[in-house]
Amino acid sequence: MALLVAATTLDELLLTGIKEIYWTEKHLTKALPKMVVAAGSAQLQAQFTEHLAITEAQVTRLEGLFETLGEKIVAQKCDAMEGLAMDGEHVIENTVAGTEARDTGLIMAGLKVENFEITCYTGLIQLATKLGQTDVAALLQQSLAEEQQAGQMLTELSEQPSGEKAEL
């Protein structure tokens, strides 16, 4: 395991953030297929499948960003994302396949991930802009827009009428 060096400059902080979001996106390329299989609704399966393709494109975009910055492609583990991905796994383990409860739990887990990514990309864009790295900010903005759209799609799925009646 490599020793991490503490960021002392804004440039180092930006690079660390890019390494973490790269790890995040790579990790999601492994978690999303599990969510596709676990989803009972065809709409939810389609949403997770579409977002997997988008996530793979984001990984490629981030690899290009490392090249733009003249840096090695390095992922730095993001503990927060690992925890959020585990939340999705817990939904799968603790709900019955094919139920509305499982799909709703998966949507909730997905929204947590999307909101985390939106926050990360927003902060990185602000930092890149502050540093005058407009090309970096523009590339990150593409991913931010994709994450916002994914969050909106999951929100719309969550707002569909329930097939279950509430038990009082």
Side-chain angles (χ1 to χ4, degrees):
M1 178 160 85
L3 291 175
L4 301 178
V5 178
T8 59
T9 68
L10 293 179
D11 288 312
E12 290 170 346
L13 187 63
L14 177 63
L15 184 58
T16 297
I18 291 169
K19 289 176 180 180
E20 286 184 347
I21 198 70
Y22 178 67
W23 185 93
T24 293
E25 299 297 6
K26 293 280 288 181
H27 191 70
L28 287 173
T29 63
K30 297 173 187 134
L32 280 166
K34 296 174 190 174
M35 295 177 84
V36 170
V37 171
S41 152
Q43 287 178 299
L44 187 55
Q45 287 175 343
Q47 173 61 28
F48 287 144
T49 299
E50 179 182 334
H51 198 59
L52 174 58
I54 290 167
T55 301
E56 290 167 343
Q58 290 170 338
V59 167
T60 301
R61 184 180 303 132
L62 287 165
E63 289 170 350
L65 191 54
F66 280 107
E67 291 175 20
T68 298
L69 294 170
E71 296 287 339
K72 283 181 156 181
I73 299 172
V74 176
Q76 183 170 318
K77 184 178 178 185
C78 178
D79 292 330
M81 179 50 68
E82 184 177 47
L84 290 172
M86 286 174 57
D87 188 50
E89 290 175 16
H90 290 148
V91 168
I92 294 167
E93 292 169 4
N94 296 298
T95 56
V96 176
T99 63
E100 186 174 21
R102 176 174 281 182
D103 282 358
T104 300
L106 289 171
I107 289 169
M108 291 169 56
L111 282 168
K112 290 175 188 177
V113 168
E114 296 310 327
N115 284 309
F116 176 76
E117 290 178 295
I118 289 166
T119 300
C120 291
Y121 280 114
T122 299
L124 289 171
I125 291 164
Q126 292 169 345
L127 183 52
T129 301
K130 182 175 188 162
L131 291 168
Q133 298 266 7
T134 54
D135 52 342
V136 171
L139 288 171
L140 294 169
Q141 182 63 45
Q142 290 176 27
S143 294
L144 173 60
E146 293 163 349
E147 300 302 351
Q148 289 170 327
Q149 183 167 3
Q152 181 60 38
M153 293 298 296
L154 287 172
T155 298
E156 289 172 13
L157 284 174
S158 75
E159 293 171 344
Q160 291 180 351
S162 173
E164 294 180 358
K165 295 192 184 219
E167 293 180 26
L168 301 175

